[in-house]
Amino acid sequence: MKSAMTRTAVALAVLVGALGLAACGGGSSSTTGSNTGSETSETSGGGGETASNKGPIKIGAAIDETNLMKFFDGPALAAAEIEAEKINKEGGVDGRKIEFTVENTQLEPAKTKSVAENEVNGGAEIMWVTCDVDWATPSIQVGLKAGLLTVSPCIGTDQMGPKRFGSEGELAFSYGNVAQDEGAALAALFKKHGWKTVDIVPDQSIAFTQNVCESFKNRFEENGGKVVVEEKFTEGDGTIGSVANHVNSSPADAILICATTQNDLPTFVSGVRSAGNQTPIVGPWSIDGSFWLPKSPKISNNIWVTTYASIYGDDPNPEVRELISEMDKKGAEPATGGFVTGASAIDGIKAAVEENEGSTEGKALAESMVNFKDLPTISGEISFSPELHTVFGREYRVIEIKDGKPHYVEMVKAGTPAEL
Amino acid sequence: MNWIQTLVDAIGLGSVYALVAIGLALIFGVMRLVNFAHGELITAAGYTLVVAHALPVPVAIALAVLVAVVLAWLMERVAFRRLRNAQPATTLVATFAVAFALEAVWLIAFGARGESADLLSSLNEPAIQTGGVTIRWVTIAMLGVGGILLGATTLLLNRTKIGLQMRAAAADFRAARLLGVRADAVISAAFVISGVMAAAVAILLTAQQPLVTPTFGLEITILALVGIVVGGMDRLTTATMGGFAIGFLNSLLGNLLPSSERVYLPSAVFLIVIIVLLVRPVGLFAPRGASTAERL
């Protein structure tokens, strides 16, 4: 009897464990989906305020302050608040000060939804959401249902907009670079450095990493490049060691890895470099930051990253360096260059509100934003289109990690977004 | 596909899970406890390596072992001892609680993004590299350490007085006590040994996977647990072989599946696990005619 009970308990353990493993392996997001807010409950709020209101512009932020996304959400918000303070000191936006209220979603879907509802009920005129479209979806749905302009600082896929959220998604925008643009910028970097053959290693666990590698491939081949090996993996699936060994036997000029800064990225880099392979390893913004780098300078070498800003004290834009210094003073030291998207989102909101003479009415702001063409912001010039509500056209900083030390090298630009 | 490299990769991953399985199987054999919190011992040792990175390597390793051992002892003393006569489901839930509580501690202390601990990164260099085949030192080390730990634990349980006492305490805790076995002490000893094993896993694993995160040990423990059920959890050797088999299978299927279909790898692995459990419920490597009541 005891044995049978033990077996039952073990079976339960394995079941729960398997579910846990699935959750771990799934990482932060699924790769597809198209919800338009049918589960969102009714909330009060009226899609922003009209120009006659000269009170503060209330931005309700439903972001992660606890879990994986806090390293993206936190610095982006800190940068946004500093940019907002600067604007407020100069008299605000059409006479209106910018005011943030912030609540922690803890990356839990139910909490994300309730936090967003609190923000709407508390009078938020603009919804500010976390930097991953899947985690942010419950709050995006609440914002869109309430008719609010809904902004994420650094979502990097084309999902933030009508593609995922239907007609309601016309109010949704992200100030991150869209994967089609970053893929094209990476292809431009390869062209600039004369890397004509490549091994591509995309992580299939999130849409951004898949999309950026796919976009790169399309533009790289258009440019006459040749893909030697394409090895897909899913973060945490245990295959990254084999992937590194396959890549090691390839003669390509460079390796493109589209991954996130979880366990598999340093395992891959270590697997390649430890075998004596010093081929350039290149990656998008999602591998920016130095915290994940193996400490050995032999291993953390010849790695190239495209990103929004250099956090290593050598960004070419003095305004960005000043922003980093102010963030450091606030104890919000950025871990990646993505922080600057928060400040540029505030620049974008300011431009849209000014165009609408102080109104924060969601539809009006969205109509202004979708027409942004090369709008100057602290992070560079940005553009949106009816199809792409995530930024394209921005210049990228290229960071090289040499002997364990990251430093800014050059700028690169996509030209036009690649096909996906 | 290079078949030799595929087999080498599979052996490499199998040896990782085999190492984890030994620690899990020891505690299950002695206490009938599926210790989900074993992964937290691995994580604790991993974070110790992060913190002790500037110290000489032997000192850092010694500290990692010490931390894992002390934490293992504390787990038994504080959480599991009082539940020794509880229903298996109760103790199982207790191990979940300990695991999640410790994971929260790592999250608060070190954050979610992870810290690098590549203290023994030279172990990841190739020992043999010929004809497109790379065999790394870490694979050899894992196989060697796994073999030594398995052999030493088997000897300890079968040839020493404390091993006999452990088995007696596991078979009938009250009777063992009446016969003079210091049951609390021997069960604590089993946890201490599992702590040493967890530290060995962390030390070797960080050579290959340098980033230590709050779930560093948990993920690997879950799959190793599946492996010991598949292999036959009632014996140390079959459980270890099961751990090896699950890692081997995962790597092998990962290589066999086309790159674009690799996203289905967990489904394929668990489908095979279900089939094996249906065909051989007592365990793939359990002797014919074995019943689930036998141990170690």
Side-chain angles (χ1 to χ4, degrees):
Chain A
M1 179 67 183
K2 191 178 175 189
S3 176
M5 287 178 73
T6 307
R7 289 242 145 213
T8 309
V10 172
L12 177 67
V14 171
L15 178 64
V16 174
L19 291 171
L21 193 66
C24 294
S28 63
S29 57
S30 62
T31 54
T32 57
S34 179
N35 293 327
T36 55
S38 57
E39 292 178 4
T40 309
S41 62
E42 286 300 323
T43 52
S44 65
E49 298 289 335
T50 58
S52 60
N53 185 342
K54 286 290 179 187
I57 297 168
K58 291 182 182 170
I59 302 178
I63 60 161
D64 174 31
E65 295 181 302
T66 309
N67 225 304
L68 274 176
M69 295 307 294
K70 98 176 202 186
F71 301 103
F72 303 102
D73 291 353
L77 180 74
E81 287 175 330
I82 291 167
E83 190 74 353
E85 277 169 31
K86 207 164 80 183
I87 292 166
N88 290 346
K89 273 184 196 160
E90 289 163 3
V93 183
D94 207 48
R96 299 181 68 188
K97 301 274 164 81
I98 299 170
E99 189 178 286
F100 272 98
T101 54
V102 184
E103 286 194 67
N104 187 0
T105 66
Q106 297 175 11
L107 275 197
E108 288 174 15
K111 185 142 177 90
T112 303
K113 185 182 170 196
S114 67
V115 154
E117 286 169 351
N118 285 347
E119 291 295 341
V120 172
N121 293 333
E125 295 157 67
I126 293 167
M127 181 67 74
W128 183 280
V129 299
T130 202
C131 279
D132 177 278
V133 74
D134 294 297
W135 287 119
T137 289
S139 52
I140 295 169
Q141 289 171 335
V142 171
L144 299 182
K145 201 83 177 166
L148 302 187
L149 179 79
T150 301
V151 170
S152 167
C154 49
I155 285 172
T157 65
D158 57 8
Q159 302 278 306
M160 188 62 175
K163 184 171 181 180
R164 181 171 182 136
F165 297 100
S167 58
E168 285 180 345
E170 284 171 12
L171 305 182
F173 291 84
S174 170
Y175 281 73
N177 290 319
V178 72
Q180 292 91 317
D181 193 73
E182 185 147 11
L186 284 161
L189 179 70
F190 271 64
K191 196 173 179 182
K192 205 170 176 179
H193 286 262
W195 298 325
K196 290 176 182 160
T197 55
V198 66
D199 296 331
I200 301 181
V201 184
D203 174 6
Q204 294 178 285
S205 66
I206 62 169
F208 173 75
T209 52
Q210 292 180 76
N211 290 357
V212 77
C213 256
E214 192 63 33
S215 305
F216 164 83
K217 187 181 169 186
N218 291 338
R219 179 57 55 85
F220 183 68
E221 287 178 339
E222 274 170 34
N223 291 347
K226 191 181 165 214
V227 176
V228 181
V229 167
E230 186 168 6
E231 281 282 340
K232 295 179 179 174
F233 72 101
T234 304
E235 174 68 38
D237 71 357
T239 62
I240 197 68
S242 299
V243 168
N245 285 333
H246 291 174
V247 165
N248 275 335
S249 55
S250 161
D253 294 337
I255 300 160
L256 178 73
I257 179 161
C258 304
T260 55
T261 52
Q262 298 182 65
N263 297 64
D264 281 353
L265 174 65
T267 304
F268 176 80
V269 170
S270 177
V272 171
R273 292 287 181 256
S274 296
N277 184 342
Q278 283 293 333
T279 305
I281 296 174
V282 188
W285 167 65
S286 56
I287 74 163
D288 189 19
S290 58
F291 61 89
W292 64 269
L293 289 170
K295 291 190 168 76
S296 163
K298 259 194 330 187
I299 292 172
S300 295
N301 189 39
N302 205 7
I303 301 170
W304 301 72
V305 184
T306 50
T307 186
Y308 299 91
S310 171
I311 56 167
Y312 309 107
D314 55 359
D315 192 274
N317 184 346
E319 274 187 82
V320 171
R321 293 201 299 273
E322 174 63 25
L323 181 57
I324 293 173
S325 151
E326 285 182 49
M327 288 176 70
D328 288 348
K329 278 182 214 156
K330 282 182 82 170
E333 195 182 342
T336 78
F339 72 93
V340 79
T341 57
S344 75
I346 293 297
D347 293 343
I349 289 168
K350 177 178 181 269
V353 174
E354 280 176 347
E355 200 173 303
N356 288 281
E357 296 168 342
S359 168
T360 52
E361 202 267 317
K363 209 170 170 190
L365 294 183
E367 276 169 16
S368 296
M369 266 190 194
V370 82
N371 290 314
F372 283 171
K373 292 279 172 290
D374 300 327
L375 179 85
T377 72
I378 186 166
S379 69
E381 292 178 347
I382 61 159
S383 301
F384 293 116
S385 71
E387 294 77 32
L388 292 177
H389 281 215
T390 304
V391 166
F392 59 91
R394 191 189 256 141
E395 270 195 308
Y396 294 76
R397 272 72 165 166
V398 178
I399 306 295
E400 182 194 8
I401 296 143
K402 196 175 178 185
D403 298 327
K405 291 191 173 64
H407 63 104
Y408 166 79
V409 179
E410 60 193 327
M411 302 290 261
V412 70
K413 205 170 174 181
T416 55
E419 289 295 319
L420 183 62
Chain B
M1 182 167 60
N2 184 331
W3 276 98
I4 299 174
Q5 185 64 60
T6 299
L7 288 174
V8 168
D9 290 343
I11 291 167
L13 196 62
S15 60
V16 174
Y17 288 104
L19 266 179
V20 182
I22 301 171
L24 283 166
L26 173 68
I27 297 301
F28 181 78
V30 171
M31 276 194 74
R32 274 295 189 256
L33 175 73
V34 178
N35 187 12
F36 248 86
H38 185 76
E40 304 313 313
L41 302 177
I42 299 171
T43 309
Y47 275 124
T48 307
L49 294 174
V50 170
V51 173
H53 189 266
L55 298 175
V57 173
V59 177
I61 289 174
L63 281 173
V65 174
L66 182 69
V67 166
V69 161
V70 169
L71 187 60
W73 180 79
L74 279 172
M75 265 184 201
E76 195 279 328
R77 186 69 190 82
V78 176
F80 303 140
R81 185 171 291 187
R82 289 161 198 272
L83 298 172
R84 201 165 285 156
N85 296 316
Q87 297 294 329
T90 307
T91 53
L92 180 66
V93 170
T95 70
F96 281 138
V98 171
F100 291 132
L102 285 172
E103 203 180 308
V105 170
W106 314 139
L107 194 63
I108 292 163
F110 299 99
R113 71 184 184 187
E115 302 280 344
S116 192
D118 51 333
L119 210 63
L120 295 174
S121 58
S122 54
L123 273 182
N124 207 22
E125 289 171 8
I128 300 163
Q129 199 167 24
T130 179
V133 176
T134 304
I135 301 174
R136 295 173 195 265
W137 286 111
V138 69
T139 304
I140 296 168
M142 279 177 174
L143 284 171
V145 171
I148 290 166
L149 287 179
L150 179 61
T153 312
T154 307
L155 280 177
L156 177 89
L157 290 169
N158 294 316
R159 300 287 170 87
T160 66
K161 195 177 165 189
I162 194 164
L164 184 66
Q165 290 178 340
M166 278 182 195
R167 292 160 67 206
D172 190 329
F173 187 75
R174 189 176 286 179
R177 263 195 157 164
L178 288 171
L179 290 169
V181 172
R182 292 172 60 209
D184 283 336
V186 294
I187 288 178
S188 285
F191 270 87
V192 164
I193 295 167
S194 80
V196 174
M197 290 172 178
V201 173
I203 291 160
L204 292 174
L205 199 59
T206 49
Q208 210 168 19
Q209 301 177 23
L211 197 68
V212 181
T213 59
T215 56
F216 180 70
L218 179 70
E219 290 170 27
I220 195 169
T221 299
I222 292 168
L223 205 57
L225 183 61
V226 173
I228 69 170
V229 173
V230 168
M233 61 194 305
D234 295 312
R235 291 167 187 78
L236 196 62
T237 42
T238 56
T240 307
M241 287 163 74
F244 180 86
I246 200 84
F248 188 91
L249 177 70
N250 196 76
S251 179
L252 191 68
L253 283 179
N255 273 296
L256 290 177
L257 284 171
S259 170
S260 56
E261 307 303 324
R262 214 170 264 161
V263 71
Y264 301 112
L265 176 61
S267 312
V269 169
F270 280 97
L271 181 67
I272 293 173
V273 165
I274 290 165
I275 293 168
V276 168
L277 288 177
L278 287 173
V279 175
R280 291 277 293 160
V282 292
L284 189 60
F285 303 112
R288 293 212 169 272
S291 80
T292 54
E294 292 177 47
R295 299 183 181 180
L296 295 174

